[in-house]
Amino acid sequence: MWLFILRRVASTVPVMLIVAIVIFAMLRLTPGDPAVVIAGDQATAEQIARIRASLGLDLPIHEQFLTWIIQILHGDLGTSIFTNMPVSTLIGQRLEPTLLLTLTTVIFSVSVAVPLGVWAAWRAGSWTDRLIMMFSVLGFSFPVFVLGYVLIYQFGLTLKWLPTQGYKSPFTDPLGFASTIVMPTITLGMIYIALVTRITRASMLEVLGEDYIRTARAKGQIERKVLFRHALKNAAVPIATIIGIGIALLIGGAVVTETVFNIPGLGRLVVDAILRRDYPIIQGLILVFSFTYIIINMLIDIAYTMLDPRIRY
Amino acid sequence: MTLSRRDILAGTAATAAAATLPAGTAKAQAKRNVLKVVPHANLQILDPIWTTGYISRNHGYMIYDTLFALDNNLKPQPQMVENLDVSADRLKYTMTLRDGLAWHDGTDVTAEDCVASLQRWGKRDGMGQRLFAVTDKLEADGKKTISLTLKRPYGVVLDSIGKISSNVPFMMPKRVAETPADKQIEDTTGSGPFMFNKANWKPGNLAIYEKFKAYAPRKEAVSSAAGGKIAKVDRVEWYTMDANTAMNALMSGEIDYWEQVTPDLIDLVKKAPGVKVENLDPTGNMGWARFNHLVAPTNNPMVRQAIMKACNQEDFLKTAIGNPEYYKVCKSIYPCGTTYETDAGYVNQNVADAKTLLQQSGYKGEELVILQPTDHPVLNPFCQVMAEQLRAIGMNVKLQAMDWSTVLQRRASKDPTDKGGWNMFCTWWIGGDTVNPLTGVGFGATGEKGWFGWASDEQAVKLQDEFANAGSPADAKKAATALQERLYANGHYVNMGMFFVPVGYRDNVRGMIKSPVQFFWNMEVV
C-alpha cells in the first residue's frame, strides 16, 4: 500500500509538469492581453506597450515559462498582474468558502442520495422507484441558477428567512455561516443527489441479485441490515468513486452557484481571472485544481481497499 | 424513527430562521454607520494613475484628494488649494495649499508631495502630457506653495489639473508618487476623506474604506467633485457581485446602494418596496462606433460617410437601453447639456444617400468586420443594430463575437481583416471624459500614435490646439464646434447617442451627489 501511495505521489510530478506546459501554452495562444485590460479604454497602443514591458509580458514565451517554472519550484505561485497580491494569498482567501461549501454539499447530497438510491433499488419497479428516478432526472435537468434564484425568491425575498447572498465564516460567525450556506448547499446539492442516487440504485440492483444477499435473507437477517450492511457495503465502490469525483468537481466547478449567491470561492476567482487574462492566477489555480484531482483520485483508490478487501495494489 | 427525523428537520429549520433574525437585526443596527455598496465593477487595481479603469478612479476619489475639482457646471474649483494666483501674462500659476491637510499616516501634505504627484500623472494622462509639454517649470516653493511656470499661455491648465475622470491627478505622498509611472503603486496612503483598509481587501469580493477622521473638508457645499467632502459614515464597504445578485441583495436590504442598475433590471428594481432608482449622472455616457482608419474598407472616407448616413441613433438606444427615460438622442460629440454641446456637422440618417455614397466610394462588397463583445449588455446590442443598419445599405458585414477582453486586445491590431484586423468596434465614454476637445482621447487624430482606429487629420489636431490655447470662452466654444464639424466630416466615428445608467438605493440612503463620477462622501444611511 505504501509503495502504491509513493508511486502515486511520484506520478504527480510528470502530470503536473504536463499540466503546467499545457495551461501556459493555452493561455498564451488564447486571444486577450492583460496589459490592455489594465491600461483601460483610453490608453494608447504606446501606453499599453509600456505596461506590457513592465509586466514582462513582452519577453519571449520560453523565458516567461522558465521564470514561472522556477518560481513554482520555489513554492511561489506568482503574483496577480492586476491586484499585485501573491496568488497563494488570493487562493487562501477563497479556499475556506469553497471547501466548506463542498463539504456541506457532499454531506447533504450523500445523506439524501444514498438512502434514496437504496430505497429505489429495494423497491425497484414500484411507483416509489419511479418517483425517485423522476426526481433524479429533474435534478439533472433543472439548471442550477434557476433553482438558486427560485430559492432566493422564496426564502430570501418573500419569506425573508435567509439572506439572499454572501458568505460568513463559521469561525467568526457560526450562525451567519449557517444562514448563508443553506441555499447554496441545496442548489449545488441537487445535481449530486440526482447523480449519486442513480449510481447507488444501479449499483445496489446489481448486488441485490447476488447469492449472498439471498443467503442473508434466508438466514432471517432483518431487511435493513441486508440492505445497509450486506448490499450497500458491496455496492460502495462505484458510489465512492462518484462521490470522490463530485468533490473534485465541486472544488473547482461551483462557479454558477458561487456567482448566484455571491460566495467568494475559487470558482469565481478563476472566472474573474480568465475574463481579465490574469495569467498567474489562472496558472496557479489550474495547478492547484490538478493537484487536488490527483490527490482525490488517490484517496478514492485507497478507499477501494477499505470498501473491498479483495482490491490490493 | 420518522417522528425523530421530522423533529430534526423542524429543529434545523427553526435554528436557521432564528440564526438569521438576530443577524438581520444586528445588521440593521450597525448599518447606520456603514454604507454597503455594490460598485459598477470589481476593484482589482489600486493605482488610478497606472490604469484608466473607472473603478480604480472611483477608488482614487475615496482615498485621495485633488488640487482642483470640477463642480456641477464642470468648472474647476479649488479643492486642496486655498489660494490661486495667476500672473497677468498667464504664464505663472501659484497655488497655496489649505491648512490642515494631512496624509492618512498623520504627516502633513506638502507642496513637494503635490509636485511629485503631478509629475507622475503627467507621464500617463493625455491632458497631463499636453500640460507638461507647455510646462517650463513645476516646483515646490516652500512647504505649501506649488509654482507652475509655462512656456506659453495655455487655456486649460485648471481644467487639466481639475480633470474629473481618468486619469485624475490625485495627490499622493512623495514617496509613493516617485514610483515609476509604468509600475503600480503598493502604498495606498492618501489624504482623502476615507482610508483604504488594505489588510482586509479581498479582490473580487470586498473592499473596505474607513472614515479618515483627521480629514479637513472645505467649507463650501458639495458640488460634484468640488466642495466639502464630508464622510458621514464610518465605513463604506464595496461588494462585488453579479447584477441579479445585487438586485436581490438591494431588494432584501442586505446592501444599501447599487451603483449601476443594468438596463434589463431597472423595471424590476423600481417595483421593489423600499428601493429607489434614480439617474445621478447629468452627463451620462456617450456611445461610439469607432472606425479603423487604416484598414479597408473603412480606410475610405466615403465608406465611413456612407456608414454614418446609414445609422439612426435612436435605433441603437432603443434596442440597448429601451426606456427613453434613460437615453437621449444627442447630435453633439460633447454630452448634451454641457458647455460645448452643438449639432454642427451631425450626419443625419438617409439610407438612400448612404447607398449612393457607398456605390460612389468604389465599395465592392468587401467584408466589414465588427468586433462584438457579447458579454457587454449595452455594446453587444449596439453592434448588432450597427450590423443590421449596414446590411440594409448593402454592406457585407461580419460580426465577430468575443468577450470584452478580447475586443480590447483585437482592437490593437492594425492588420487587414483577413489577418485578425477589424473595421469597427463599439465602445462608450462617460460624459465626463468627453466634455471638451481635450478630455476625449478618442477625439485625437494623430494617426498611428493615437487612439485605436488611428484617425489622422492635421486639421483636427490644429483645432484641438486652438481650443487649448483659446483666450476666451467664446474662442474655446468656436474651436470646439469647429472640431466637431471636422470630426463628423472626416468620419471619425459613429455617434451612437447618450445613455444613462441609474443607481438603485434603499429609501433610507441620503446625500447622493449628482455627478458624472460616483462619490461616497456626503452619503448617509438614516
Side-chain angles (χ1 to χ4, degrees):
Chain A
M1 171 64 83
W2 286 109
L3 190 67
F4 164 75
I5 294 173
L6 272 176
R7 241 187 4 241
R8 289 295 293 266
V9 171
S11 74
T12 58
V13 177
V15 173
M16 298 295 282
L17 187 67
I18 293 166
V19 169
I21 294 170
V22 170
I23 185 64
F24 192 90
M26 275 178 67
L27 282 176
R28 295 318 190 273
L29 292 172
T30 308
D33 179 352
V36 295
V37 182
I38 289 165
D41 204 38
Q42 297 192 40
T44 61
E46 203 182 321
Q47 287 171 322
I48 291 167
R50 282 207 298 267
I51 289 178
R52 197 178 289 123
S54 75
L55 296 170
L57 295 171
D58 60 338
L59 295 172
I61 295 221
H62 66 274
E63 272 185 47
Q64 291 183 43
F65 181 71
L66 266 180
T67 311
W68 179 57
I69 285 291
I70 290 167
Q71 272 180 347
I72 298 286
L73 291 175
H74 284 87
D76 176 7
L77 290 176
T79 304
S80 158
I81 291 174
F82 288 79
T83 63
N84 231 357
M85 284 168 79
V87 173
S88 50
T89 306
L90 290 167
I91 292 176
Q93 285 180 348
R94 306 294 187 112
L95 205 55
E96 182 199 299
T98 293
L99 287 181
L100 290 179
L101 179 59
T102 302
L103 187 72
T104 53
T105 303
V106 168
I107 292 172
F108 169 64
S109 309
V110 171
S111 52
V112 173
V114 172
L116 276 182
V118 171
W119 194 8
W122 184 46
R123 294 279 178 239
S126 70
W127 66 267
T128 317
D129 177 31
R130 290 201 183 104
L131 201 66
I132 291 172
M133 286 304 100
M134 193 185 81
F135 278 112
S136 161
V137 171
L138 264 179
F140 274 126
S141 348
F142 212 63
V144 169
F145 71 94
V146 174
L147 179 61
Y149 285 130
V150 167
L151 291 176
I152 288 171
Y153 179 74
Q154 192 55 39
F155 298 103
L157 295 176
T158 308
L159 296 170
K160 298 191 188 300
W161 286 359
L162 296 166
T164 60
Q165 54 81 41
Y167 171 80
K168 298 269 190 276
S169 171
F171 306 109
T172 54
D173 184 358
L175 295 179
F177 171 75
S179 63
T180 51
I181 209 74
V182 172
M183 288 198 287
T185 300
I186 295 171
T187 305
L188 201 52
M190 277 314 187
I191 195 160
Y192 290 98
I193 288 175
L195 186 66
V196 176
T197 304
R198 288 191 80 89
I199 297 290
T200 307
R201 179 184 177 274
S203 191
M204 283 291 287
L205 277 178
E206 219 171 278
V207 172
L208 284 173
E210 295 289 334
D211 289 345
Y212 58 84
I213 297 294
R214 203 175 306 121
T215 309
R217 280 179 176 147
K219 274 186 354 190
Q221 189 74 272
I222 60 166
E223 197 60 14
R224 198 179 61 196
K225 280 192 177 168
V226 171
L227 288 175
F228 288 96
R229 184 171 293 175
H230 296 281
L232 184 59
K233 202 171 171 188
N234 284 291
V237 169
I239 300 169
T241 310
I242 207 74
I243 291 170
I245 292 170
I247 293 171
L249 287 174
L250 281 168
I251 286 175
V255 184
V256 177
T257 309
E258 286 178 2
T259 304
V260 168
F261 292 100
N262 188 31
I263 292 175
L266 291 174
R268 269 178 61 199
L269 181 64
V270 75
V271 170
D272 287 346
I274 289 169
L275 289 174
R276 288 185 161 72
R277 312 294 192 265
D278 199 336
Y279 298 146
I281 295 184
I282 306 169
Q283 289 162 184
L285 273 171
I286 302 267
L287 279 186
V288 169
F289 289 155
S290 308
F291 186 70
T292 313
Y293 268 69
I294 292 168
I295 296 299
I296 286 175
N297 272 304
M298 189 177 78
L299 293 175
I300 294 170
D301 287 344
I302 294 168
Y304 287 168
T305 63
M306 294 170 189
L307 295 167
D308 187 347
R310 290 168 299 181
I311 298 174
R312 285 280 173 272
Y313 298 111
Chain B
M1 190 175 168
T2 313
L3 187 64
S4 66
R5 203 185 306 153
R6 277 185 186 159
D7 283 347
I8 291 166
L9 284 172
T12 312
T15 312
T20 325
L21 289 174
T25 314
K27 217 185 293 170
Q29 283 165 356
K31 260 174 144 181
R32 300 219 169 262
N33 279 320
V34 180
L35 181 69
K36 295 184 182 225
V37 170
V38 175
H40 71 270
N42 173 12
L43 177 70
Q44 295 263 343
I45 298 172
L46 300 181
D47 186 347
I49 303 298
W50 194 53
T51 180
T52 57
Y54 292 147
I55 189 70
S56 299
R57 175 204 62 194
N58 291 3
H59 158 81
Y61 271 113
M62 294 295 280
I63 65 171
Y64 301 113
D65 214 344
T66 54
L67 295 177
F68 286 82
L70 297 193
D71 66 9
N72 280 341
N73 300 313
L74 300 170
K75 297 282 175 220
Q77 301 295 342
Q79 182 54 245
M80 292 169 81
V81 166
E82 183 68 57
N83 291 311
L84 167 71
D85 182 55
V86 183
S87 65
D89 57 6
R90 294 168 58 220
L91 288 178
K92 190 163 183 184
Y93 287 69
T94 308
M95 296 167 263
T96 312
L97 294 173
R98 281 195 284 136
D99 286 333
L101 297 178
W103 297 114
H104 295 157
D105 59 12
T107 56
D108 289 343
V109 175
T110 67
E112 274 194 350
D113 295 319
C114 299
V115 167
S117 301
L118 285 174
Q119 281 167 338
R120 185 166 188 261
W121 163 76
K123 285 178 188 146
R124 294 284 299 177
D125 181 69
M127 277 187 92
Q129 285 165 1
R130 276 177 176 269
L131 176 64
F132 274 86
V134 295
T135 296
D136 182 29
K137 260 189 312 189
L138 173 68
E139 56 192 7
D141 188 4
K143 210 179 162 193
K144 288 176 66 180
T145 307
I146 304 154
S147 170
L148 172 72
T149 311
L150 302 177
K151 294 174 193 161
R152 58 180 169 81
Y154 187 62
V156 284
V157 172
L158 299 185
D159 293 87
S160 304
I161 298 176
K163 197 172 177 241
I164 196 167
S165 191
S166 304
N167 299 99
V168 178
F170 291 118
M171 295 301 113
M172 299 174 180
K174 190 180 173 201
R175 64 173 191 277
V176 181
E178 281 174 346
T179 308
D182 295 323
K183 193 171 175 266
Q184 187 175 184
I185 58 165
E186 287 178 12
D187 183 341
T188 54
T189 307
S191 66
F194 292 96
M195 296 183 295
F196 185 56
N197 184 339
K198 199 175 174 187
N200 288 311
W201 178 39
K202 291 178 182 163
N205 180 29
L206 175 66
I208 298 170
Y209 298 89
E210 315 275 0
K211 180 178 179 171
F212 177 40
K213 294 202 168 103
Y215 182 76
R218 293 191 73 87
K219 299 281 180 284
E220 297 91 335
V222 70
S223 173
S224 191
K229 299 178 177 179
I230 300 169
K232 291 188 176 173
V233 288
D234 287 343
R235 190 173 158 118
V236 179
E237 295 175 353
W238 287 9
Y239 291 91
T240 303
M241 58 184 86
D242 159 80
N244 281 296
T245 311
M247 177 184 72
N248 293 330
L250 183 66
M251 286 174 169
S252 64
E254 290 159 44
I255 60 158
D256 304 305
Y257 191 86
W258 180 14
E259 193 190 330
Q260 287 191 352
V261 181
T262 48
D264 54 325
L265 299 177
I266 290 174
D267 288 340
L268 274 173
V269 178
K270 264 183 170 174
K271 283 178 198 156
V275 176
K276 288 184 175 176
V277 174
E278 188 182 351
N279 174 36
L280 297 176
D281 178 2
T283 59
N285 302 277
M286 305 298 287
W288 280 38
R290 178 67 161 179
F291 292 116
N292 187 341
H293 291 240
L294 300 180
V295 170
T298 46
N299 60 350
N300 181 340
M302 283 176 86
V303 171
R304 297 199 297 268
Q305 274 297 327
I307 290 173
M308 289 168 86
K309 276 191 183 292
C311 295
N312 177 19
Q313 220 184 68
E314 194 154 13
D315 290 344
F316 296 116
L317 296 165
K318 256 187 197 165
T319 311
I321 310 298
N323 185 343
E325 215 180 311
Y326 299 110
Y327 71 75
K328 190 173 189 177
V329 171
C330 178
K331 297 181 175 180
S332 172
I333 62 171
Y334 316 107
C336 285
T338 61
T339 313
Y340 301 111
E341 177 195 351
T342 169
D343 286 357
Y346 181 75
V347 182
N348 285 303
Q349 187 189 37
N350 187 325
V351 175
D353 281 2
K355 284 179 180 170
T356 312
L357 208 54
L358 195 63
Q359 271 182 344
Q360 290 168 353
S361 71
Y363 175 74
K364 293 196 171 57
E366 298 95 321
E367 201 169 66
L368 181 127
V369 172
I370 300 177
L371 306 180
Q372 180 196 8
T374 50
D375 57 342
H376 196 289
V378 175
L379 301 184
N380 184 35
F382 270 179
C383 286
Q384 287 171 323
V385 175
M386 173 62 74
E388 285 314 305
Q389 295 193 337
L390 300 192
R391 283 174 188 138
I393 62 164
M395 295 199 84
N396 173 16
V397 180
K398 187 176 182 187
L399 271 176
Q400 290 189 353
M402 59 195 71
D403 68 349
W404 178 238
S405 288
T406 307
V407 172
L408 292 178
Q409 189 212 17
R410 283 279 305 276
R411 71 180 186 180
S413 169
K414 292 175 184 171
D415 292 332
T417 51
D418 57 352
K419 289 185 177 139
W422 56 276
N423 293 111
M424 295 179 82
F425 70 89
C426 301
T427 188
W428 87 107
W429 305 88
I430 67 152
D433 277 333
T434 56
V435 287
N436 72 44
L438 299 182
T439 48
V441 175
F443 295 152
T446 51
E448 297 201 35
K449 282 186 180 169
W451 196 66
F452 309 98
W454 309 285
S456 178
D457 183 1
E458 280 178 22
Q459 182 60 23
V461 175
K462 226 160 117 185
L463 288 167
Q464 281 185 308
D465 287 339
E466 266 178 39
F467 175 84
N469 300 321
S472 69
D475 288 347
K477 173 92 180 171
K478 203 174 139 194
T481 305
L483 178 72
Q484 172 166 318
E485 285 175 321
R486 183 70 196 176
L487 295 188
Y488 280 141
N490 190 37
H492 206 70
Y493 71 95
V494 179
N495 180 350
M496 297 168 120
M498 197 171 170
F499 61 93
F500 304 90
V501 184
V503 303
Y505 58 92
R506 300 293 307 177
D507 55 10
N508 58 342
V509 178
R510 304 275 190 276
M512 278 76 72
I513 301 167
K514 284 197 182 283
S515 171
V517 176
Q518 175 66 56
F519 306 122
F520 292 100
W521 52 83
N522 205 47
M523 282 176 67
E524 59 188 325
V525 187
V526 294

